[in-house]
Each structure stands twice: as structure tokens, then as C-alpha cells.
């Protein structure tokens, strides 16, 4: 073959390749809608080790093996943590509260999270510990609640029951159906 024929074939191949790239455009909304229709996340993150700071001081630490981002849902965007999560909030005075579970889902618009599968919440300063299978966390009002069975440990008591509500720091709490011995101060 001569050089002119080889050049013509190369030019035709380049034109066809360019035409293919420009004819296969998808805008971002079409891709998000496709992923939402197939119930697929728009993002996946592995080995998350997040530290949130306020005025140079770390106030929240979060660790999770996997996070699935479903913020492409119009009505209820959320993030899912299928392999568990651990969140530690640190107060200015150094006190900290840790919540961890084997699965979590956090809804962006309502700021309510569901954490389940071996949930443990621990207030290190008060030495209060809650163990349950499922808890809902209202991050706007800083409040936990569950209708599942639980065990709540304080310095002096072990309370078992079904149905529990508490402030985020576990300092104020309400038990619905309880069993166990509670020491009352007179």
C-alpha cells in the first residue's frame, strides 16, 4: 500500500472514533436517574476514617469499612453503611460518646439514622452503656429511640426492657417496659 492509502485509512478510523465518542453522550442527570432506577449507588467509599473539626478541635470521628452513597434519590437521599459504622463525638471538656453497629443508614433530608446489628452506645464520662439490636438517632434533636429489647448499664444498675429513649449523651433516659433492679435515691 502506498502512504496516501494508509493515511486515508487512519483518518477514517480517527473520524469514526471521534463520531462514536460524541454520539454516546449522557448527561449527569441521565446517569443518576439510571442508577436510581436500578437501585445502584452513585458512589462507593472504602475504609472511611473521617475526622470533623470545629475551630481546629476534632469533635467527631467516624470509621466505616464501606459507605454507599444514594444521594441520587429525589425523595429520600441517604448513605448506607452495610458493613458497620463507629462514630465518636468529643465534647469541648474531653468527654466522649461512641455509637457503633453492624449496619447503618443515614437519611440526608430528615437527619435521622437507623443503626442496627449489635448496637452499642457508650458515654465514657457517665459510664452509661446501651446495648440493643436497633436504634434510631435523630441528629437534629440529639435523641435516640428504639422499640426493640435493650440492656442499659449505669454505674449502679443494669436495666433490661423493651422500648428506650434517651438524649444523645445518655444522661437523660426513659424506659418503656423494664425489668431489673433500679436503685432510687430518696
Amino acid at each position: 500500500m502506498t502512504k496516501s492509502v494508509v493515511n486515508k485509512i487512519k483518518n477514517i478510523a480517527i473520524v469514526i472514533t471521534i463520531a462514536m465518542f460524541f454520539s454516546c453522550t449522557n448527561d449527569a442527570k441521565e446517569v443518576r436517574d439510571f442508577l436510581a432506577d436500578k437501585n445502584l449507588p452513585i458512589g462507593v467509599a472504602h475504609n472511611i476514617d473521617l475526622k470533623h473539626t470545629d475551630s481546629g478541635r476534632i469533635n467527631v470521628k467516624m470509621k466505616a469499612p464501606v459507605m454507599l452513597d444514594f444521594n441520587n434519590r429525589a425523595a429520600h437521599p441517604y448513605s448506607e453503611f452495610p458493613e458497620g459504622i463507629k462514630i465518636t463525638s468529643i465534647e469541648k471538656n474531653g468527654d466522649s460518646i461512641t455509637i457503633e453497629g453492624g449496619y447503618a443508614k443515614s437519611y440526608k433530608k430528615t437527619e435521622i439514622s437507623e443503626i442496627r446489628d449489635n448496637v452499642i452506645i457508650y458515654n465514657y464520662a457517665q459510664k452509661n452503656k446501651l446495648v440493643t439490636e436497633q436504634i434510631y438517632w435523630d441528629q437534629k434533636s440529639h435523641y435516640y429511640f428504639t422499640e426493640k429489647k435493650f440492656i442499659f448499664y449505669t454505674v449502679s444498675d443494669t436495666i433490661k426492657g423493651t422500648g428506650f429513649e434517651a438524649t444523645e449523651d445518655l444522661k437523660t433516659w426513659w424506659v418503656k417496659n423494664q425489668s431489673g433492679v433500679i436503685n432510687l435515691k430518696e
Side-chain angles (χ1 to χ4, degrees):
M1 278 197 222
T2 65
K3 282 188 175 182
S4 65
V5 173
V6 171
N7 284 340
K8 286 180 184 178
I9 292 174
K10 283 183 182 178
N11 290 339
I12 291 171
I14 290 171
V15 169
I16 290 173
T17 303
I18 291 172
M20 283 178 26
F21 282 122
F22 285 108
S23 67
C24 296
T25 61
N26 288 329
D27 68 11
K29 184 181 180 332
E30 286 178 17
V31 172
R32 281 193 306 273
D33 291 345
F34 173 79
L35 293 173
D37 289 343
K38 301 293 182 197
N39 200 30
L40 297 171
I42 58 170
V44 178
H46 294 278
N47 300 319
I48 297 169
D49 188 1
L50 173 85
K51 292 174 180 71
H52 182 270
T53 60
D54 183 15
S55 302
R57 184 184 64 80
I58 295 175
N59 60 357
V60 176
K61 293 179 184 179
M62 181 183 83
K63 289 188 174 198
V66 176
M67 182 187 87
L68 305 175
D69 183 1
F70 289 93
N71 280 316
N72 54 343
R73 304 299 190 270
H76 298 289
Y78 65 93
S79 296
E80 184 176 10
F81 303 87
E83 296 179 21
I85 191 167
K86 181 176 181 179
I87 301 169
T88 302
S89 59
I90 304 164
E91 301 298 322
K92 288 182 181 177
N93 63 4
D95 292 348
S96 64
I97 294 114
T98 298
I99 180 168
E100 60 183 296
Y103 173 89
K105 188 182 278 189
S106 181
Y107 291 93
K108 185 176 182 179
K109 286 184 180 178
T110 61
E111 292 187 40
I112 292 182
S113 297
E114 173 194 14
I115 303 168
R116 65 177 193 237
D117 303 336
N118 302 315
V119 177
I120 298 171
I121 304 172
Y122 192 76
N123 179 322
Y124 292 93
Q126 299 290 317
K127 295 183 177 45
N128 290 344
K129 179 180 174 181
L130 175 68
V131 178
T132 186
E133 277 304 306
Q134 179 186 45
I135 195 109
Y136 291 95
W137 179 16
D138 185 338
Q139 296 167 27
K140 284 183 186 176
S141 60
H142 307 283
Y143 191 76
Y144 295 119
F145 58 94
T146 185
E147 295 299 322
K148 301 289 184 182
K149 290 182 179 182
F150 70 89
I151 302 173
F152 184 60
Y153 302 94
T154 67
V155 174
S156 60
D157 303 313
T158 299
I159 304 162
K160 297 178 182 180
T162 305
F164 184 87
E165 299 178 24
T167 56
E168 197 172 69
D169 58 8
L170 296 180
K171 289 181 181 176
T172 306
W173 44 272
W174 301 268
V175 176
K176 294 185 179 179
N177 298 309
Q178 71 176 31
S179 63
V181 177
I182 301 175
N183 297 317
L184 298 174
K185 295 178 185 174
E186 294 185 34

